[in-house]
Amino acid sequence: MNERGAPAGTDEGDGLRLIGDSPAIVRVRDLIGKIRGHRAPVLIAGESGTGKELVARAVHAGGRDGRGRFVAVNCGAIPDPLLESELFGHARGAFTGAWRDRPGLVEEADGGSFFLDEIGDLSLPLQAKLLRVLQEKEVRRVGENRPRPVAVRFLSATHKNLEAEVAAGAFREDLYYRIRIITVEIPPLRDRREDIPLLSEHFLERFGREMGRGRVVLSPAAVERMTAYAWPGNVRELQNEIQRCLVFLGEGTVIEDACLSARLRPPDEPPARGAFLLSEARAEFERRFVRQALRRTDFNKTRAAAEMGLTRQGLFKLLKRHGIETPRHPPRRADAGA
């Protein structure tokens, strides 16, 4: 993905929000808050579709380099012979077709952040050259001997197990330890199932707005089915599923279970390993319903209870039953889910 690509699993216009209330995603947000002000290299690990570039952009936006450029390259998307020039630039006449001097992407990120997506796909010769850039903080364009200083924060991402790649001789050990001074592990969606309803609502609002539609909601049965599904494609797959449902929904306002893709509701399939029981899915739907009411009312319990048709005592019972804690100093509504 190049610098014009959108972050995996979301879009740039969403204010770089990491959406969800699960402990796993809260830990990621907390870690980002701690490392934003530092320039140490960051390795972002996670399965495809979990939102690694979104995390990289969030780290960049809140750091000292946030006013500089965020430049990204997918190491597996460019043929190796072209990637060196793309990364480090070239001098005029360095090779056939090099009609002029051209800075590389690392130079373009000077004063900002450079994001190497899928760094595990980088060839060993280019790994050696990248290591030199990280160590010396300078680049040499192809066909030049003159080093050019760069002040860049390096962010990397991979879905591969780099320790295994190092053991297999496919990734340099010295580069591995250089890029992973700080590591951010992004959990797969199946490990943060409680975030699926909130993410779904976010994508319903986003794509509904783009399509000029009114409010569309998921039925309880659809929520249960989506919560039970393993989502091997992670947040990106969920995003695509919501967009598909909106296309085929027509003029309706409720996405029913039958509207979901066949892979989410295969006939006579035994429950997936780790899937929620019906009672667990209903409990999760109830937790989500309560959290939404609290956020809408800025955590005013009296108003939230009234919205849900409950007494304050009834709301407190639900909070206790589901272990929902409310902040002493509630965030403003604009920050909810961020």
Side-chain angles (χ1 to χ4, degrees), residues 4-218:
R4 289 171 289 277
T10 186
D11 69 320
E12 295 180 57
D14 292 326
L16 304 178
R17 292 188 295 161
L18 294 174
I19 296 170
D21 295 325
S22 65
I25 208 65
V26 168
R27 284 193 294 270
V28 172
R29 281 203 300 265
D30 289 345
L31 179 55
I32 290 173
K34 292 177 181 177
I35 66 179
R36 276 174 167 168
H38 303 277
R39 275 191 170 178
V42 177
L43 176 64
I44 303 165
E47 297 178 5
S48 295
T50 50
K52 294 186 289 294
E53 184 169 339
L54 173 63
V55 170
R57 289 179 180 271
V59 171
H60 163 76
R64 292 185 296 172
D65 305 312
R67 295 183 180 180
R69 295 188 66 187
F70 178 92
V71 180
V73 64
N74 188 316
C75 298
I78 302 174
D80 204 56
L82 301 178
L83 187 55
E84 181 177 4
S85 172
E86 191 76 9
L87 291 176
F88 308 123
H90 61 255
R92 179 181 177 183
F95 50 82
T96 303
W99 304 112
R100 59 181 177 84
D101 290 347
R102 180 179 179 275
L105 293 177
V106 176
E107 282 186 73
E108 290 187 11
D110 192 23
S113 300
F114 185 58
F115 176 55
L116 293 115
D117 197 7
E118 297 304 343
I119 193 172
D121 293 336
L122 203 63
S123 69
L124 286 170
L126 286 182
Q127 289 177 33
K129 294 182 179 181
L130 176 62
L131 177 63
R132 182 177 181 83
V133 173
L134 285 163
Q135 290 174 334
E136 306 297 333
K137 296 181 172 54
E138 60 186 29
V139 296
R140 285 186 174 89
R141 295 180 183 177
V142 177
E144 274 190 355
N145 292 322
R146 176 168 69 94
R148 299 171 183 267
V150 289
V152 174
R153 181 174 196 175
F154 282 90
L155 310 171
S156 309
T158 182
H159 73 282
K160 293 183 176 181
N161 183 334
L162 288 187
E163 289 188 3
E165 294 291 302
V166 169
F171 200 86
R172 292 180 63 105
E173 185 176 21
D174 46 6
L175 178 60
Y176 171 62
Y177 287 113
R178 176 68 67 169
I179 64 174
R180 59 150 290 190
I181 293 176
I182 299 170
T183 302
V184 179
E185 296 274 356
I186 308 179
L189 191 54
R190 63 182 174 274
D191 289 347
R192 45 181 291 222
R193 293 175 188 265
E194 57 265 54
D195 290 335
I196 290 172
L198 194 59
L199 284 162
S200 299
E201 290 176 2
H202 166 73
F203 291 129
L204 281 171
E205 180 181 350
R206 169 188 159 190
F207 291 121
R209 185 170 61 246
E210 291 177 2
M211 297 167 66
R213 300 184 60 107
R215 178 172 169 77
V216 176
V217 299
L218 292 163

Side-chain angles (χ1 to χ4, degrees), residues 250-300:
E251 299 300 317
T253 59
V254 179
I255 296 176
E256 300 288 353
D257 184 24
C259 187
L260 300 175
S261 298
R263 66 182 181 279
L264 271 73
R265 47 183 181 82
D268 303 322
E269 181 187 60
R273 184 179 181 182
F276 281 2
L277 298 175
L278 181 60
S279 59
E280 293 173 331
R282 284 174 175 165
E284 178 52 43
F285 180 76
E286 198 169 74
R287 281 191 290 269
R288 179 176 67 95
F289 186 74
V290 171
R291 287 190 182 115
Q292 287 176 333
L294 288 169
R295 281 194 294 267
R296 282 196 304 270
T297 58
D298 293 332
F299 294 88
N300 184 306

